[in-house]
Each structure stands twice: as structure tokens, then as C-alpha cells.
Amino acid sequence: MTGKTAFETRYGFVRNKVLLGNWRESPFSRWSFQNVGELVPSAPVAAAPGGSEAPAQDLTGLLGEKIALAGGPESVAALLKRSDTDGLTIMKGGKIVGDWFAPHMGFGARHIIFSISKSLTAIVAGILEGEGIFDPDAPVTHYIPEAVGSAYGDARVRHVLDMSVSLDFEEAYLDPESAFARYRRATLWNPSGGNESLREFLLTLPRLAEPHGQTFRYRSPNSDLLGILVERASGQRFPELMREKLWLPLGAVSEASVTVDMQGTARTAGGISVTPRDLARVGEMMRQGGTANGRRVVPEAWVRDTVETGGSSEAWQRGTMAFLFPQGRYRNKWYQTGAESGAFCGIGIHGQWLYVSPREEVVIAKMSSQPLPVDDPLDLDMVVFLEALSRMV
């Protein structure tokens, strides 16, 4: 028998070429980012039974529109292709007005959102805070006594939420010999070289001399620790918490999932997979001040603090991401852009965006398989693109 299989025709490679050691590399990520559960142990987050999606909304009319970028005008279609977009959903005034999918991603498919997982985990924390069972001002050791002696031993939950822990750790995504590679092994995202769990890894991390709270330092372990914190506070596993507190009240239509380590600890910093439409629903809930379908999901005061008033501009300016949002801030795992539109967003590596423009009443969920984990020039273009797209729809 000769010829290509249907899988190879669609993705450009055969399934058995996708391994735990290469699933985040191009071109394999075009498939693996939609099928993480075949590679990394994952826990389901079920939606309410009986839900169904309305048909896809055509976005063709916008694809030829031009966006003015620093390097010159570029069409929406060209930008989607250049940024390796897999799926895109746009909401306007609470209604879905457009969907776009690459040939290798079907309507209704789940896709890993990487660090937008942090933003969803923080929402769960905000809900628990509103219920009075989670205190952002408490010491980390109040919930995790064994954190004594680690970087978190004298940190508060607020430092974890705002990425201001003075943590001696680098996000060295591409260095196989780094502490980050050891971190990935502990999450079961890389071929394992030992038997260290995620929690055990987190509690070995050292701190810097600088006091906590002074500098924004983007360190993913903080957000995995947040997942453990909310589990300890609530007495529930994170997948159950996310379903009960967020996914069902939100009215999510499709099942989500989150990767877990050898002990079942959820990778809340980056392991959540959802559909573009359900991700857009999260953004719309935040745009609506914490309500969905007329139901309160998260306290309004928490949302306002997260996307409007909270966060330290001084800590943000001392960090390494101020170039992206020069007037920005970071609060509760969400970015405030500082734009006149009041836009705020969640961002994940390899091109994941959840962009919310309150002024335009627009939410954009963009899922991608960009070859590089971090591409600063492309990210700068994406900020311009998403802000312009918000005005177009």
C-alpha cells in the first residue's frame, strides 16, 4: 500500500513521529497542542451535560483588511498565517461574531493555552477569596507549612498572585540543562530523568536577596504553587474546583482538561486545554465584571482590582516585560495593557492570547502553534493586531 494516511495529509507528518521529547516543537505542535492528553497525563474538567455550540461564524470578510504595523501594513489573513494561528474566536457585545481555524484544527477542538492557565487558576482563587476561604494576604506557609526554607518560606500569597516573589529561577525554555528542564521533567512534560514530583520541585527553589514584592518576575512555578494553595485552602483537587467554581457557572460548553504530575498535581501554570469559544467565554465573563449568563461567578471587586486598579506599576517597570506594555501592570495573573481601550489580557507561550477590550466590548481568543516559545518582535505586532482587530469588528 502506498500514499499518505489521512493524518499525514492533514498535519504533514505521521503520528508516531510525535514524542514526549518533541511535542512542543514545530511541526509536531500543530497536532500535539490539540491532543496533549495523548502525551502527558491529564485530568478532565467536565462541562454541564447537554451543551452544544452554535455553528461557526464566518470571518472571511475581515481577512483582507490591513493592519498598520511598524514594518508596514499587513492583512489579517497574513498575520494569522505568520503567527501560526490554529484557532480564533471573536466576541462582540457578548455575541460570537467570528471564528477562524487553520486546516489542521477543527471547530470545537481543544487546544492547550499554556500560561493563560495562570489567569484561569487565579479566577478560581478569586472565587475562593470571595467565599472567605482563601486569603491573598496570608503567608504561603499558612497553607503549605512545608514551604519553610524555600523561596516561598517568607512570601505571602499576594506575591505569588502578582509574580513578585523574589525567586531565583529563570524561564529558560530551550536550555535542556537548566532548572527549567528539571521543572518540566517534574511536570511530566519532558522525558523523566528521576522521580521528583512537581510539589517537591517547587519546595527546593531558592530565593534572591531582594525582598518580595518589589519586582515583577515572570516565574511559572509561582502559578503551579497557586494551584496547590487553592487545593489546600479548599480541600478539593484543582480539576474538581475548576469545574465546580468556574466551568459550570461560566456555562462552558465543552470539556476542558489539565495535565497532572505523578502525584496528580495539576499543572496550573500552563497545562489547561480548552476550546477557543470557551476561552472567549472566560474573557467575556471578565469583561462583564465577573458575571456570565446573569449569574455571579467571581466577585466584581476582585475583577475590578485585577483588570483596572490593582497591581504595582513600579514592580512592572522593574521587570523584563515592560517593553510589551509600557504603561502596564500585572495583577492576579492578568496583564493590564495600559491602553486607552482599557484592554487586559492573558498570554501564553507559542502564541496564546485572550484579549479583552472593554471600550470596544470585544473579546478575542487566539490559539497558535508558533515555533518559538517566546518571540518578542511578533508579540509586539500581536498587541497592535489585537487592538486594531478589536476596533474592526
Side-chain angles (χ1 to χ4, degrees), residues 181-189 196-198 201 261-262:
R182 183 178 142 221
Y183 173 40
R184 284 250 169 100
R185 290 193 294 272
T187 64
L188 304 184
W189 279 33
E196 185 177 39
S197 71
L198 176 56
F201 169 80
D261 78 344
M262 65 173 72

Side-chain angles (χ1 to χ4, degrees), residues 59 62 67 76 88-93 97 287 337 339 341-345 354-365 382-393:
L59 199 61
L62 272 179
I67 307 286
V76 170
L88 182 82
T89 288
I90 304 174
M91 297 182 77
K92 170 85 171 183
V97 296
R287 188 185 75 83
T337 69
S341 64
F344 57 92
C345 60
L354 176 56
Y355 196 85
V356 183
S357 174
R359 184 181 67 189
E360 308 300 337
E361 300 185 336
V362 166
V363 176
I364 303 171
M382 282 300 104
V383 172
V384 176
F385 167 63
L386 293 165
E387 188 70 7
L389 190 59
S390 298
R391 295 191 298 269
M392 288 179 176
V393 296

